[in-house]
Each structure stands twice: as C-alpha cells, then as structure tokens.
Amino acid sequence: QVQLVESGGGLVQAGGSLRLSCAASGLTRASGRTFSTYTMGWFRQAPGKERIFVAAMYWRDGSTYYADSVKGRFTISRDNARNTVYLQMNSLKPEDTAVYYCAADYLGTGSQQGPAYEHWGQGTQVTVSS
C-alpha cells in the first residue's frame, strides 16, 4: 500500500522558515513503479478554503513549478535515494497558514490540478503567527 507521510509542520512567526518533508513508501511494492518516476507536488488548504497548488517537481528532468504566491520564498526538492520530497519555506507569512499535503503523480508532467495526483498524504499543519 502506498503511503505518503508529511512531517515538519508547526508554529512559526512571520518571516521565519520551516522545512516540510514527505516520505513515500510502498510505491515499488504496489506496482513495480519507483519513487523517481513520480512527479511530486505540494498543495495546501487553509480553513474554509479549497485545496490549492503550491509546488511540483517533474520526475523526468527535475523542473520545478510554483504558485505565484510562493515564488521566491518556497523551494521544492527531492531525494530519490530516500524516497522523500521536501518543501523549504522561507519568509513565511500569516497567509501561508494551512494544512500542507504532498501528492504523487506517476509519470506526471507537473500538473497544478489536484485530481492529476494519484496518492496523497494526510497533511501537516503549518501556522504562521503575525
């Protein structure tokens, strides 16, 4: 069974930084696919709002994509040897407060649409105080 487990969330003051991690397991056992063949994405959902795209990394060449609201502040990266994707978040703002989810899209092209992603984590809470 595929599992994505996020960690690294917490409470931080505005202007601070956090690094989220998402560890994947069960990908190979599920279908013979490897972590390296999944485009990995990060999404977030603030209270009372829809879940929205934050960042993605294309499996084939490592191209990265970001929502306009986080460009220049957030960085997505991955370590295929550890089956882990990261989201480094700097210069955090109160409006970044949300539950952050990682997601995996087999052979995906870096879609910003949630339904393109097959597997999702349970989320980790990020709270930015002003």
Side-chain angles (χ1 to χ4, degrees):
Q1 184 174 352
V2 175
Q3 280 194 315
L4 301 177
V5 179
E6 301 96 337
S7 61
L11 174 64
V12 64
Q13 287 189 332
S17 298
L18 283 174
R19 188 176 83 151
L20 306 183
S21 300
C22 172
S25 62
L27 288 170
T28 299
R29 286 194 297 274
S31 62
R33 301 171 180 176
T34 59
F35 178 77
S36 63
T37 59
Y38 282 81
T39 285
M40 299 301 295
W42 287 94
F43 290 75
R44 68 187 183 188
Q45 186 169 20
K49 296 188 177 181
E50 293 185 351
R51 188 163 57 186
I52 60 172
F53 171 80
V54 175
M57 178 172 271
Y58 184 30
W59 71 274
R60 183 184 290 275
D61 62 7
S63 296
T64 56
Y65 309 93
Y66 296 95
D68 288 343
S69 60
V70 307
K71 279 180 183 176
R73 300 188 298 123
F74 290 12
T75 303
I76 186 172
S77 62
R78 64 192 295 164
D79 184 340
N80 288 337
R82 290 183 165 82
N83 288 2
T84 301
V85 63
Y86 305 96
L87 186 68
Q88 177 67 44
M89 305 186 295
N90 298 328
S91 302
L92 283 161
K93 305 175 181 180
E95 51 264 43
D96 294 318
T97 294
V99 177
Y100 283 71
Y101 299 89
C102 75
D105 179 12
Y106 178 63
L107 300 182
T109 57
S111 173
Q112 299 187 17
Q113 304 301 314
Y117 292 78
E118 304 158 54
H119 306 292
W120 291 82
Q122 293 300 306
T124 185
Q125 177 70 47
V126 171
T127 303
V128 184
S129 63
S130 56

